[in-house]
Amino acid sequence: MGQKLRLGMIGGGKGAFIGAIHRIAAQIDGEYELVCGAFSSNPDVSIQSGKDLGLDISRCYASFSELFEKEKQLPKNERMQVVSIVTPNHLHFEPAKLAMQNGFHVVLDKPMTFSLAEAKMLKQIAEETGQLLCLTHTYTGYPMVKEAKQQIAEGKLGEVRKVYVEYPQGWLSKREENGDNKQAAWRTDPSKSGIGGAIGDIGTHAFNLVEYVTGLKVTQINADINTVVEGRKLDDDVNVLLKFNNNASGVLFATQVAAGEENNIKIRVYGEKGGLEWQQNDANSLLMKSADQPFQILRTGSSYLRSFAKHNTRTPAGHPEGYLEAFANLYRNFALTIKAKLNQETPTPEMLDYTGIEDGVRGMAFIEQVIVSGQSDQKWTAFIV
Amino acid sequence: MGQKLRLGMIGGGKGAFIGAIHRIAAQIDGEYELVCGAFSSNPDVSIQSGKDLGLDISRCYASFSELFEKEKQLPKNERMQVVSIVTPNHLHFEPAKLAMQNGFHVVLDKPMTFSLAEAKMLKQIAEETGQLLCLTHTYTGYPMVKEAKQQIAEGKLGEVRKVYVEYPQGWLSKREENGDNKQAAWRTDPSKSGIGGAIGDIGTHAFNLVEYVTGLKVTQINADINTVVEGRKLDDDVNVLLKFNNNASGVLFATQVAAGEENNIKIRVYGEKGGLEWQQNDANSLLMKSADQPFQILRTGSSYLRSFAKHNTRTPAGHPEGYLEAFANLYRNFALTIKAKLNQETPTPEMLDYTGIEDGVRGMAFIEQVIVSGQSDQKWTAFIV
Amino acid sequence: MGQKLRLGMIGGGKGAFIGAIHRIAAQIDGEYELVCGAFSSNPDVSIQSGKDLGLDISRCYASFSELFEKEKQLPKNERMQVVSIVTPNHLHFEPAKLAMQNGFHVVLDKPMTFSLAEAKMLKQIAEETGQLLCLTHTYTGYPMVKEAKQQIAEGKLGEVRKVYVEYPQGWLSKREENGDNKQAAWRTDPSKSGIGGAIGDIGTHAFNLVEYVTGLKVTQINADINTVVEGRKLDDDVNVLLKFNNNASGVLFATQVAAGEENNIKIRVYGEKGGLEWQQNDANSLLMKSADQPFQILRTGSSYLRSFAKHNTRTPAGHPEGYLEAFANLYRNFALTIKAKLNQETPTPEMLDYTGIEDGVRGMAFIEQVIVSGQSDQKWTAFIV
Amino acid sequence: MGQKLRLGMIGGGKGAFIGAIHRIAAQIDGEYELVCGAFSSNPDVSIQSGKDLGLDISRCYASFSELFEKEKQLPKNERMQVVSIVTPNHLHFEPAKLAMQNGFHVVLDKPMTFSLAEAKMLKQIAEETGQLLCLTHTYTGYPMVKEAKQQIAEGKLGEVRKVYVEYPQGWLSKREENGDNKQAAWRTDPSKSGIGGAIGDIGTHAFNLVEYVTGLKVTQINADINTVVEGRKLDDDVNVLLKFNNNASGVLFATQVAAGEENNIKIRVYGEKGGLEWQQNDANSLLMKSADQPFQILRTGSSYLRSFAKHNTRTPAGHPEGYLEAFANLYRNFALTIKAKLNQETPTPEMLDYTGIEDGVRGMAFIEQVIVSGQSDQKWTAFIV
């Protein structure tokens, strides 16, 4: 730990779910200190939220433009170093752009932007400014997901042949957006979410998880997109067949109308020699199967795990770590990378293991091309970024 | 029980897996007595197999044509009443046809025939002769699958919106057909299996399970068919997107190259109000989920279950019944239906609850049209029987 | 299979739970043919039950004494060879004695007798007559229980240090014996059950399972015995601390008042190097744990299992076998042993792997001494048979 | 949140497991700011540890006596308000006493003290000084444990009849204390741990969990205490039969020699109407069973839960919270209680829901009396505090 990074936040004011999660994730490992924020587009709410969080009133800002302007004027050893942007999708690009152009690193909630075009621009800005960006694809933060990635990279399954990834939720089974559920309201509103509903909100998590764990790239998609709840303006259910760059095939589904389901993202990968399975509902176990061998259950915190899993765990085996710790792993690795950079050291592969801007661009491309494929009568659509 | 039905068998000689299963399934509930058979296309093996099974030597036949000929000549109260045909697919139609034309009821292993054309002919023969046919789609024999069907029929989930069905196996991950694995040899040989590999062997089970449980009919398919193991002559992996006659959508996958997997068929169905989940690996539990309610686990043998589940269970809750009992349920219900007919009684819905010839025709149509869809560039193919 | 053994039955008439189970268990593998019986102490019920089972009316007897008398007079190649006694405990000794004295082998439901004294006499009769006896401790019939036994015998866990065995049921949470539940009535009636309630009905299963799996012998007991439901005449709940002949210690509990529980017997054994765990609720899995290794799940039907598990399984991995198959394994091994004896062959260890009279005597001693310990203020009571 | 409480720490320097856990637990919810500490009995290590944690060098103390002395001299709005004591057991009493006598609230790792005598003295000091003490019995911090407590208090199970609690670990299966495992060294050393080994380290957790969840009090114990690993100076395995103040009976076992086990504390409670089951390995589920009803699984984060569970959860259902969050719940409730007191408000029952000094005294009594019972030939020992 040592010196904490000074963190600002855009969005995440009173009542916002994901803002509170980001703050916990940032503070679990003591790598960040929240020093300022523009927590709401409503200036009063923004300032009151900052006060409630115990911030110095002078650093509770009325807007994100004010935040950048004022922070930039502070002495270098006082000013914010990293900003977390936890607003709806249509408010990702502008603050992220300003942040990088003003010399701040960025933590950004997924999906990266409102559109693929914005994503590509943001990538260009990052390259020009040299600022770093971490995209919070939480599920890649789990130790056993990381173990799966390393096992596959080492060839434990042999060449990958099949991938199944699924993300069933039930919370949009009814027309929640008509009530006072703010989450539901913006996520089903194309002016705020972009062209993707379920595909943008959770389909991108599944897509990112697949590419992260397998190390493969999707090359073709065949999508069935549905709006199940009548009157909804965006998709709430997607089924996508996949082809990968090594000719493996896959199935991805993501739905928000599986009534009764919580949030159980799950991945299964099979290669020539065996398979593995991970699901958030039993997040500290990685099930591995090989022909003619007993199944194996690898467990978070065990001595036999590989470097990424170990680096991302705080407690010994048998002390379950969960969603917040997975989220915290992204924040922590991002902090370690930034600190290494500040110290002019080379970050280790373990430090660099957070979702970055390239993954963000691919995620936005996935949203757009799944929508295209869903509208097409042609079976397969090439996936090109 | 009372008087046992006299059962003959075609196929299922020494070393055949499924023949032994059929015999156990037939005898668990004491509804059948095996009295004769033509157990192999090799006359010596056939006769020796019968002797090993303790049959009267005079009723161990050298061929199925001899079986029908000779049995027909026996007095009515001695001769075989039902014949189980447990041969590879290319040897289903001919003996089934002869059986019905000679006045015998038929138990037939799935898929029903070698081709859809044969299936339609068989259906016609059944209609003409009035003989009954039971197709052994084992998984519909499980009590909790039946409970799922009744819960959905009663509207417990509301209108069905989503169906996921999967059937992962790993036993054909290598080119087993080149060794001495007879099962692998004929199931990957188009001259014996027909045009479907995995889609015929296990895809039809998944398809049948979906239509059985939901009561819906598939209307469109979008298939990705793969032959993963090099040199194999038939598909060993299929992914199919589905549309149903109520506009629900679904995903079906069946694979025989998921290295390390056993045989874990699983179905999930979601409606407006909730969902349910069943898998063979935990066959005596039915998981039900509703928005804003605790999950429920319904258990085989419990007092609160519906009539079909109760009718198909032998032991109280907590005494696990498995694959053989599920298989036996098909045999038992078929026997009860035949006996009711013999007694000129009307079979109850519980007795009639076995897979019949109509399902068999749909299954063959599914195989053929998934193959057609898999070869097409067009996304959706109408499913027409 | 080949020639079937001719089986008679005492008890198990209309409406009796365990009689039907015994019949299924006997016929699953085709090793027995039911030829006669005295199914009830009520002659009319006995004879009608036999008729309903499709028996020849001449071999439906009014009483078990008639059964032995008449069967003995039949030609040797027609008469019953084995008799299953499935009556309440107070009616075990007399028919078992007569059976052996008249030259019949015996399958007997557990616990073996009404009292330890009877058990010892029965043992003596068996030794004198040379007849064989199989006691149906069903849970030792499960393939993965047998795998556990062989793994421990091979030293896979190192020296055993700890054993936990439990058998929670809930079906006697209320005073069922006051209603029309016949099972509840006799099992809570000391004139029929003997001095043990839960300890006799299910505690003996747990005790037998422990000694079977570990190969150890209990040497000391420290028992807490409870009658939880007011007015009940026998114990319905027991907690017993154990010491074994290698100084390992253990905990055994058995209860019939764990409201809501089904029938989930479970055993855990730990040695110097690792542990294992099996429970009926997931009967086809054996969980093995070693320090600093992934957990392993061994599965029924897998190629890597030992000889006992393989010998006692009918289907490949992934086709769940359950309670009836476990029960059938006892019957089948007993049949194979009898047939070997008839053929003057030496039975293999796999054939001899059924619960016998010695285990039955130990079980009765356990009941009596747990009751003694439960009534004592002294902590430990030596367990002596 | 708002203003953070100023936290100091005693113990928990470099390499200490539990110190890091306490710091994470304290900072997850932003209720505390670590401001000072005496992290080691080695002054250099203490000071360096503080520096590494980013503390002001002036508040990194060489000893806990210096800590109290110096902090007391700081202005009231700067000085430490709460101190966490995370040293081995023999170093609990003295700093806790000093803390309270100097006006600081105390968070103390369990078991509370080295001996029951110390515990009683500490209780007296707390009463005299009015300072608050929170004992970190982590497992009572889990939301679903709290739900279980409230369900039972509401009478959902009816009168409680049976309790089973178990805590199997495997980490002391070998003589780890001879190597460089510091944890193992002090926990097996009677001069540091006190008279209890496993009973003190984990048996007290199990005891506390039972009394917390059921609301009952243990009244009699019957203990079997073992030192399994040769040469070890304290017990590493205990089995205890329990009686409660409502005549319910129970079984508690705790072992550190269950080779291969992690840390899976589990509790089951059965009443007249049903039972419930919770285990840390599936911490976000509470299994409830009732006679003649489907099992229910209640899940953390669900809308139908009671007030305690809701108050102690940060994320919606389907986002697993784990050990660190459970630990944090203790810290957070303690902070909320302290703040209420500072604000002269009455803490809510939800705030007061942390383990306190009375539980700590009972825990110490449990250790001592289990040891007494274990050494006695008498079956039952009255449990008196």
Side-chain angles (χ1 to χ4, degrees), chain D residues 24 88 107 125 127 144 264 285 298-299 311 385:
Chain D
I24 293 174
V107 176
I125 294 164
E127 285 165 358
M144 299 319 280
N264 194 13
S285 295
L298 285 71
R299 300 270 302 154
H311 173 70
V385 180

Side-chain angles (χ1 to χ4, degrees), chain B residues 334-348 351:
Chain B
F334 193 53
L336 295 176
T337 296
I338 291 171
K339 288 181 180 180
K341 196 176 160 173
L342 290 173
N343 297 333
Q344 298 182 306
E345 293 164 355
T346 305
T348 65
M351 293 174 182

Side-chain angles (χ1 to χ4, degrees), chain A residues 161-162 164 166 173 222-224 226 237 239 243 253 255 259 261 268 270 275 289 373 376-377 379, chain B residues 161-162 164 166 173 222-224 226 237 239 243 249 253 255 259 261 268 270 275 289 373 376-377 379:
Chain A
R161 291 166 161 185
K162 284 299 301 184
Y164 303 105
E166 57 185 63
S173 292
N222 169 356
D224 172 32
N226 302 294
D237 175 86
N239 312 295
K243 297 286 181 188
F253 71 75
T255 187
E261 286 294 337
R268 286 174 280 182
Y270 299 93
K289 300 179 177 178
S373 170
S376 168
D377 287 339
K379 189 183 272 179
Chain B
R161 291 166 160 185
K162 285 297 302 185
Y164 303 105
E166 58 185 62
S173 292
N222 169 356
D224 172 32
N226 302 295
D237 175 87
N239 312 296
K243 297 287 182 188
S249 68
F253 71 76
T255 187
E261 284 295 335
R268 287 174 279 182
Y270 299 93
K289 299 179 178 180
S373 170
S376 168
D377 287 340
K379 189 183 273 179

Side-chain angles (χ1 to χ4, degrees), chain C residues 161-162 164 166 168 173 222-224 226 228-229 237 239 241-243 249-251 253 255 257-262 266 268 270-275 277 289-291 295 373-380, chain D residues 161-162 164 166 168 173 222-224 226 228-229 237 239 241-243 249-251 253 255 257-262 266 268 270-275 277 289-291 295 373-380:
Chain C
R161 291 165 161 186
K162 284 298 302 184
Y164 303 105
E166 58 184 62
S173 293
N222 170 355
D224 172 32
N226 303 294
V228 172
V229 172
D237 175 86
N239 312 296
L241 304 184
L242 305 170
K243 297 286 183 189
S249 68
V251 180
F253 71 76
T255 187
V257 296
E261 285 295 336
E262 295 177 343
K266 174 177 171 177
R268 287 174 280 181
Y270 298 94
E272 294 165 313
K273 297 188 284 184
E277 181 174 329
K289 300 180 177 179
S290 298
F295 298 163
S373 171
Q375 290 164 346
S376 168
D377 287 339
Q378 187 185 313
K379 189 183 271 180
W380 292 101
Chain D
R161 292 166 160 186
K162 283 299 300 184
Y164 304 105
E166 58 185 62
S173 292
N222 170 356
D224 172 32
N226 302 294
V228 173
V229 172
D237 175 86
N239 312 295
L241 303 183
L242 305 170
K243 297 285 181 190
S249 68
V251 180
F253 71 76
T255 187
V257 296
E261 285 295 336
E262 295 177 344
K266 175 176 171 178
R268 286 174 279 181
Y270 299 94
E272 294 165 313
K273 296 187 283 184
E277 181 175 330
K289 300 180 177 180
S290 297
F295 298 163
S373 170
Q375 290 163 346
S376 168
D377 288 339
Q378 189 185 312
K379 189 182 272 179
W380 293 101

